């Protein structure tokens, strides 16, 4: 909100102080969500590896391993186990981000 920036200006805060002590803390939840989504997209990458190499040259990521075990080798049990491990790793990464950014998502307002 502009009120917080104006209040900081009245209190004598410089532009850098307003940025680091008012603007960024108010954007902390949005920054955390954006960085979390980009990290999870990078972790679960499948399409680039599949289209560009199809696993040649020993290219292997967790999502591609799941595909290879389930579809190509028809080892459905092993593929599902790797998929569950991928899901659990995504949960752990998300929990680490939420804890690391110290954001209480229940207190975040959606005001415009």
């Amino acid at each position: 909100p502009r009120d917080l920036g104006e209040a900081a200006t009245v209190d004598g805060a410089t532009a850098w102080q307003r940025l680091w002590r008012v603007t960024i803390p108010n954007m902390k939840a949005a920054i955390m969500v954006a960085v979390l989504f980009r990290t999870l997209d990078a972790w679960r990458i499948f399409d680039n590896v599949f289209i560009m190499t199809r696993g040649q040259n020993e290219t292997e990521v967790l999502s591609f391993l799941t595909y290879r075990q389930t579809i190509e080798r028809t080892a459905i049990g092993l593929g599902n186990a790797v998929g569950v491990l991928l899901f659990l790793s995504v949960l752990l990464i998300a929990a680490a981000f939420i804890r690391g950014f110290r954001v209480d998502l229940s207190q975040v307002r959606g005001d415009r």
Side-chain angles (χ1 to χ4, degrees):
R2 290 187 185 264
D3 297 343
L4 295 176
E6 290 174 8
T9 303
V10 169
D11 289 342
T14 64
W16 280 108
Q17 289 173 332
R18 286 193 312 266
L19 176 68
W20 286 106
R21 296 178 185 238
V22 177
T23 305
I24 291 179
N26 282 322
M27 294 177 57
K28 197 174 189 180
I31 292 170
M32 189 268 311
V33 168
V35 171
L36 174 65
F37 282 176
R38 296 308 306 159
T39 302
L40 292 179
D41 283 344
W43 180 250
R44 296 174 299 154
I45 191 168
F46 172 79
D47 53 350
N48 290 345
V49 174
F50 184 76
I51 290 170
M52 294 185 349
T53 66
R54 289 216 184 240
Q56 300 301 317
N57 303 325
E58 299 181 16
T59 305
E60 195 76 46
V61 292
L62 199 54
S63 297
F64 194 76
L65 176 66
T66 304
Y67 165 79
R68 185 178 303 210
Q69 295 299 321
T70 306
I71 305 299
E72 289 181 3
R73 291 190 52 216
T74 62
I76 296 173
L78 184 59
N80 285 333
V82 174
V84 168
L85 290 176
L86 177 63
F87 172 73
L88 291 175
S89 67
V90 165
L91 281 179
L92 287 173
I93 291 170
F97 265 78
I98 291 170
R99 193 173 287 244
F101 270 83
R102 293 184 184 96
V103 175
D104 184 10
L105 295 176
S106 66
Q107 301 297 321
V108 176
R109 297 182 341 200
D111 297 0
R112 290 189 178 172

